[in-house]
Amino acid sequence: VQLQASGGGLVQAGASLRLSCTASGHTSSGYAMAWFRQAPGKDREFVAAVDWVGDYKSYADFVEGRFTISRDSAKNMIYLQMSSLKPEDTALYYCARGNARNPTRSKWNYWGQGTLVTVSS
């Protein structure tokens, strides 16, 4: 499984971005998918996850309603729509595929290379 994240960039605080992640090599349908991020000097942290059909979604507390995760299983893609971005959202954002249908039961064993989001104040 290869995961390719894209859509990052340099934006000002308050702006929006949509990240995309394409899965190839093996279908991502049937598995939970997630976004994680890693800021400079910090550990990787969970951002959001979605179950295999796109019904169940979970978010980190810091999202505070600003991000929306979605998936298009027919295209083997997931998305992270981010709005009201803050400088503290600056990080390398990774997509990941789980080994179960439900994110709460998944271990994240496939990772993309990350896309950089930089939010200036």
Side-chain angles (χ1 to χ4, degrees), residues 11-72:
V11 297
Q12 291 188 331
S16 298
L17 274 177
R18 189 177 83 152
L19 306 183
S20 300
C21 175
T22 302
S24 61
H26 192 280
T27 182
S28 62
S29 62
Y31 298 96
M33 298 289 293
W35 289 95
F36 289 76
R37 71 183 188 184
Q38 186 168 20
K42 296 187 177 181
D43 293 334
R44 187 178 297 183
E45 63 181 350
F46 169 78
V47 177
V50 60
D51 73 354
W52 70 294
V53 291
D55 289 342
Y56 173 84
K57 302 175 182 181
S58 62
Y59 298 93
D61 290 344
F62 63 75
V63 168
E64 299 175 322
R66 300 179 297 126
F67 299 175
T68 301
I69 188 171
S70 61
R71 68 186 302 162
D72 185 336

Side-chain angles (χ1 to χ4, degrees), residues 8-9 17 19 36-45 47 62 67 82 85-94 114-119:
L17 274 177
L19 306 183
F36 289 76
R37 71 183 188 184
Q38 186 168 20
K42 296 187 177 181
D43 293 334
R44 187 178 297 183
E45 63 181 350
V47 177
F62 63 75
F67 299 175
M82 305 186 294
L85 284 163
K86 305 175 183 179
E88 50 265 43
D89 293 319
T90 294
L92 196 59
Y93 283 73
Y94 298 88
T115 185
L116 181 62
V117 173
T118 304
V119 185

Side-chain angles (χ1 to χ4, degrees), residues 66-115:
R66 300 179 297 126
F67 299 175
T68 301
I69 188 171
S70 61
R71 68 186 302 162
D72 185 336
S73 294
K75 296 182 179 179
N76 268 343
M77 294 192 70
I78 65 165
Y79 306 96
L80 186 68
Q81 179 68 48
M82 305 186 294
S83 60
S84 302
L85 284 163
K86 305 175 183 179
E88 50 265 43
D89 293 319
T90 294
L92 196 59
Y93 283 73
Y94 298 88
C95 56
R97 201 203 81 174
N99 62 352
R101 293 182 173 183
N102 192 305
T104 62
R105 299 175 179 173
S106 278
K107 293 183 179 180
W108 307 103
N109 47 4
Y110 293 101
W111 295 84
Q113 87 294 351
T115 185

